Amino acid sequence: MLRSQRLPAIGGMWIAAGLAAAPGASGLNAQDVVDLPGDDLPLSADFEPVYRIGSAQAAAAWEEFFAIRGIGFDGAGNLYLLDGQDTDGGRRVVVVDANGRHVRDFGRLGGGPGEFQRATQLVVWADGRSLVGDMMRGYHVFSPDGDFERTASESGGFMIVTRAGLRPERTGSQTALVRDERSILRMDLSSAEIGGGVLVEGWAPRAPTELPPVFDFEELLETVGEEWGFEPEVLFDAMPAGGVAFSDSTDYAIKLADASGAISRILRRPIRPLPATEQRKRAERERRLEQESSRQFTQRGGDPSGEVLEMINRYLEAQRAGVENMQFHAEVPVIAAVRVTWGGSLWVERSTEPGTSGPGPIDVLGADGRYVGTFPEGQLTMPDAFGPDGLAAFVETDEFDVPVITVRRLPRQVR
């Protein structure tokens, strides 16, 4: 039996290789609202199988995967997989063609050019160039043939910064979209010096948490203790030919921005958020406490020093105390995920009842903004990557927790 393996999202500022600080927020104004139907039109998830690789019974050594840290297609339909241990990050990138045949591997653990120490993110551009985000060393850029080209760094002092939701921008240039607190940024990675700026700023559901201007651990602990439940995330994906589709509120509202960041439309469905009842708050608190209890700290090269270990433990204690005393927003956000297919259709996953497991219903909106239909709750997990010609990749694990990657072809109406 296969289980969906949700790829890890890493973001915010990290302390001692793995502890995230609390996000802030900023504002947004928009216009031009399109109201879509409220009743669901069921869609079938009976997709054409293309190939399947991986599992404990893998036929070849190249498809013996440990943990898929990142995944993406290029314009030729080649699939790129960042594979590695759960604790140490990715150790190599595996490339297979549109029929599932092995093309090449590149990258490895180490401290040299194009080598990884804690690789956690993968971006693949349409021309076959790729980017591997390494928490310890910055961003490694590789050519379509897998040759190392350069490293661009984004770090400073004790803090090591990685960005949440790293996505390739689909403009033919070496740029990517990322989230920083409540903003979506454009990162220019065409040279060793990272450029770019804010593309759009999301709505702020509350006043931002002020981080100290100079790193101070005691002041940081105070910000960690302020935890909020049911806060709407800024969820986004890149649109073809530039621009972004995103959600930033509790309501069902997908905002479409062009390559300049200007909002062109807001797509809405009359689906109301669930009220944050005491039962739902309790379920969310229990989920977050379980998440905190399973958090592990790892450090390459041995155990942390006594001083660093004390800081880590105090941080974790403050975070757990913050969850135990969590404040809540009044509603559970409707939207759980926003993705865009290669052809420009929007896939919008809706939230489920807090405390339940399994995927929510997934709405499909056409590239022209019309409502196409809905995959019912529990029928389909959101694809981990969309590719050209209707390709979609799903990462799961077998009964031995070994990754299995299944590629299917989507019907034309939902591409």
Side-chain angles (χ1 to χ4, degrees):
M1 180 177 181
L2 298 178
R3 300 187 300 278
S4 174
Q5 179 189 325
R6 306 307 292 169
L7 301 186
I10 299 177
M13 291 184 291
W14 287 73
I15 301 175
L19 302 174
S26 55
L28 173 71
N29 293 315
Q31 54 186 357
D32 298 338
V33 176
V34 178
D35 289 312
L36 302 173
D39 293 333
D40 286 349
L41 175 64
L43 295 171
S44 170
D46 185 18
F47 304 150
E48 173 194 349
V50 180
Y51 62 84
R52 182 176 184 269
I53 55 176
S55 86
Q57 289 78 39
W62 67 264
E63 58 176 317
E64 294 175 354
F65 301 115
F66 288 90
I68 304 303
R69 313 287 298 182
I71 184 170
F73 286 96
D74 67 16
N78 298 312
L79 182 64
Y80 295 62
L81 302 158
L82 176 60
D83 174 50
Q85 300 284 9
D86 275 325
T87 55
D88 291 335
R91 62 189 179 100
R92 61 170 180 160
V93 176
V94 181
V95 184
V96 299
D97 68 15
N99 295 307
R101 297 179 297 234
H102 183 238
V103 176
R104 71 178 70 86
D105 291 4
F106 61 89
R108 62 181 180 180
L109 293 176
E115 296 178 341
F116 314 142
Q117 290 188 0
R118 195 171 176 81
T120 57
Q121 296 171 299
L122 174 69
V123 160
V124 182
W125 286 291
D127 66 359
R129 280 185 167 81
S130 58
L131 175 82
V132 175
D134 189 329
M135 284 180 58
M136 307 303 294
R137 304 195 62 217
Y139 301 93
H140 308 275
V141 179
F142 295 89
S143 74
D145 294 325
D147 297 325
F148 172 72
E149 291 188 343
R150 63 184 172 277
T151 297
S153 298
E154 191 181 31
S155 61
F158 189 63
M159 295 287 191
I160 299 174
V161 177
T162 61
R163 300 298 190 181
L166 195 64
R167 299 270 193 267
E169 194 171 25
R170 299 167 62 183
T171 58
S173 58
Q174 293 176 49
T175 55
L177 300 178
V178 296
R179 190 182 76 233
D180 182 18
E181 298 182 348
R182 303 293 298 180
S183 301
I184 300 172
L185 311 182
R186 175 184 285 124
M187 295 175 64
D188 184 350
L189 295 141
S190 59
S191 64
E193 183 177 350
I194 296 176
V198 175
L199 178 62
V200 294
E201 294 185 350
W203 169 72
R206 60 186 176 90
T209 300
E210 294 291 336
L211 292 174
V214 178
F215 175 73
D216 183 286
F217 184 71
E218 299 301 328
E219 292 185 34
L220 181 60
L221 287 181
E222 294 180 8
T223 67
V224 171
E226 184 181 347
E227 293 286 337
W228 283 81
F230 304 140
E231 180 157 295
E233 292 186 65
V234 176
L235 306 168
F236 71 95
D237 205 356
M239 298 288 288
V244 63
F246 69 101
S247 167
D248 61 355
S249 69
T250 58
D251 293 329
Y252 194 113
I254 306 297
K255 300 174 182 178
L256 306 181
D258 63 21
S260 71
I263 304 295
S264 58
R265 282 183 296 177
I266 302 176
L267 308 179
R268 301 192 313 188
R269 292 194 70 196
I271 300 172
R272 294 295 307 156
L274 296 172
T277 62
E278 290 303 316
Q279 181 178 352
R280 289 174 178 139
K281 292 177 183 179
R282 183 167 56 253
E284 177 65 7
R285 186 179 291 108
E286 290 172 356
R287 183 190 71 83
R288 292 279 294 274
L289 286 172
E290 182 179 354
Q291 188 179 65
E292 289 301 316
S293 66
S294 63
R295 184 190 294 269
Q296 295 181 345
F297 170 79
T298 60
Q299 176 170 303
R300 292 184 59 82
D303 296 329
S305 66
E307 182 180 358
V308 171
L309 185 59
E310 180 184 358
M311 294 175 68
I312 293 168
N313 288 335
R314 289 183 63 196
Y315 186 96
L316 294 176
E317 289 171 3
Q319 198 158 49
R320 181 177 178 83
V323 173
E324 290 174 343
N325 298 288
M326 183 187 298
Q327 302 175 73
F328 288 89
H329 292 274
E331 298 174 319
V332 180
V334 174
I335 296 176
V338 175
R339 296 300 305 272
V340 180
T341 68
W342 200 269
S345 291
L346 301 175
W347 284 41
V348 181
E349 182 175 350
R350 296 179 350 226
S351 299
T352 56
E353 180 73 31
T356 61
S357 60
I362 298 175
D363 298 335
V364 179
L365 312 180
D368 56 0
R370 64 187 173 85
Y371 171 69
V372 175
T374 299
F375 297 107
E377 180 176 342
Q379 184 181 108
L380 179 70
T381 59
M382 183 73 81
D384 291 287
F386 291 101
D389 196 26
L391 295 176
F394 300 82
V395 179
E396 301 164 304
T397 55
D398 64 14
E399 63 271 26
F400 302 105
D401 286 331
V402 176
V404 178
I405 297 90
T406 303
V407 174
R408 301 184 177 96
R409 197 177 309 277
L410 306 175
R412 293 191 180 278
Q413 70 175 134
V414 298
R415 296 182 187 179

